[in-house]
Amino acid sequence: MEEYMDTTKKIIMIIIVSIVLIRTNQKIFKWILKKQNKIHINFLSGIITACIIFIAISMIGMQFENTKEIFKSILKSSGLFVAVAGFAAQQTLNNIISGLMLSVAKPFDIGERVNLVNSNITGIIETITLRHTVIKGFDNQRIVIPNSVINNEILKNSNYDDSVIGNYLEVTISYESDIRKAVSVFDSIIQNHPLVITNEYHNPGVIVKDLTETGIVLKATVWTKNVSDNFQASSDIRMEIIEQFKHAKIEIPYKKIELISRKNEIKKRRW
């Protein structure tokens, strides 16, 4: 009976210590992530938590005579354990290894906008765990993708090696409008917006993209520090274009429907 109570106390102590260590680990990494929200830091937190849980389970198993030798053998023969665990949970292990590779290679980071070409998924990287990566779509829905899938994907990263976001903006003007004035006004609107970044590497670069049956298509690039700023800046610029083009007598062509009354003809047919 005394031996049973002693074993119970040890197990309770192991559980309490494990919970304290996991909570401490989470708090420390939460503090670090506030300072530096990087993908490898997020993944490392998950690895440490998994190690604490594995050690705790092993120590609990060693408290019982029936399982003591088994857990001792597992800890001593770590290579054999990895091989057995890998065979039993190949997909899970694949996700963990893929997550580790993504964490080291860092093709993207937390808060960056990515596009998974093969899966046709676009969104902002929100977090990465041992098993999966969470992407927040532009409709605010969360997309949970296994790390092994992302590791084999073709990625488009708007922030890779450059945190500035570029978005194309197009406007069509009529053939009767003053094209040089339109280019000048378009360029000025973009450059004067407070959220737009303009320097020798990032400038609007207004060009004539195309000549269509409806008019002349002008194209420029709006550069901002992040995706949210880009959406806001692009919206503001479109509104400003409508106002300033109207003031400068630059026409934006649009389809018109002409209604012709045929009442007389209808009456004749009736009679």
Side-chain angles (χ1 to χ4, degrees):
M1 184 67 180
E2 188 178 339
E3 187 179 344
Y4 174 77
M5 290 297 293
D6 188 49
T7 302
T8 305
K9 285 178 183 178
K10 285 181 180 179
I11 291 171
I12 292 170
M13 279 298 296
I14 292 168
I15 292 170
I16 291 170
V17 170
S18 300
I19 291 170
V20 170
L21 288 173
I22 290 169
R23 292 277 176 88
T24 304
N25 172 60
Q26 289 173 344
K27 285 183 178 179
I28 290 170
F29 277 94
K30 192 176 181 180
W31 179 80
I32 294 171
L33 287 167
K34 282 182 180 178
K35 301 283 185 181
Q36 196 178 17
N37 196 7
K38 298 292 183 182
I39 193 170
H40 62 283
I41 297 173
N42 216 327
F43 188 78
L44 183 60
S45 175
I47 289 285
I48 292 172
T49 300
C51 289
I52 293 169
I53 292 169
F54 172 72
I55 292 168
I57 291 170
S58 300
M59 289 180 72
I60 290 170
M62 289 172 67
Q63 301 307 312
F64 301 99
E65 289 299 325
N66 294 337
T67 57
K68 190 174 183 178
E69 293 302 319
I70 296 171
F71 277 95
K72 274 185 178 180
S73 301
I74 288 172
L75 291 172
K76 287 178 182 178
S77 309
S78 56
L80 178 62
F81 172 73
V82 170
V84 172
F87 181 78
Q90 291 181 42
Q91 191 58 48
T92 302
L93 194 62
N94 189 16
N95 285 325
I96 293 171
I97 293 170
S98 296
L100 183 62
M101 291 173 69
L102 290 169
S103 178
V104 173
K106 290 190 283 188
F108 51 78
D109 223 324
I110 306 297
E112 292 185 349
R113 178 180 181 269
V114 297
N115 170 241
L116 309 185
V117 178
N118 296 336
S119 304
N120 195 27
I121 295 172
T122 302
I124 308 295
I125 298 294
E126 196 165 74
T127 188
I128 182 170
T129 69
L130 291 176
R131 181 191 171 275
H132 59 259
T133 299
V134 180
I135 295 178
K136 182 172 76 172
F138 296 122
D139 56 357
N140 211 36
Q141 301 246 0
R142 268 60 177 182
I143 306 161
V144 180
I145 307 169
N147 290 331
S148 57
V149 173
I150 290 188
N151 196 41
N152 293 321
E153 269 280 358
I154 296 173
L155 277 170
K156 281 185 180 179
N157 186 348
S158 304
N159 299 88
Y160 197 73
D161 285 340
D162 191 350
S163 60
V164 177
I165 297 291
N167 184 38
Y168 294 126
L169 200 62
E170 295 180 5
V171 62
T172 304
I173 63 171
S174 66
Y175 285 103
E176 292 75 28
S177 300
D178 187 334
I179 186 171
R180 296 191 184 279
K181 185 191 284 187
V183 169
S184 176
V185 172
F186 192 10
D187 184 78
S188 176
I189 292 170
I190 296 172
Q191 298 223 33
N192 290 327
H193 195 283
L195 295 177
V196 172
I197 295 170
T198 53
N199 52 45
E200 59 179 316
Y201 303 106
H202 307 98
N203 60 75
V206 181
I207 60 168
V208 176
K209 181 196 172 187
D210 201 2
L211 303 175
T212 67
E213 59 182 13
T214 56
I216 304 165
V217 181
L218 302 180
K219 181 179 179 181
T221 309
V222 178
W223 299 98
T224 57
K225 67 178 182 179
N226 56 50
V227 176
S228 298
D229 281 0
N230 208 293
F231 284 149
Q232 186 59 55
S234 296
S235 175
D236 294 344
I237 289 165
R238 289 186 185 99
M239 288 192 287
E240 193 67 22
I241 284 171
I242 293 171
E243 292 177 5
Q244 291 204 28
F245 274 24
K246 191 181 291 184
H247 181 73
K249 300 196 183 318
I250 299 167
E251 183 188 0
I252 299 176
Y254 59 93
K255 290 182 179 180
K256 303 178 183 69
I257 299 173
E258 187 176 352
L259 297 175
I260 302 172
S261 176
R262 303 178 65 182
K263 288 182 179 178
N264 293 334
E265 187 178 333
I266 292 168
K267 283 180 181 180
K268 286 177 183 179
R269 286 180 180 176
R270 282 180 180 175
W271 290 101

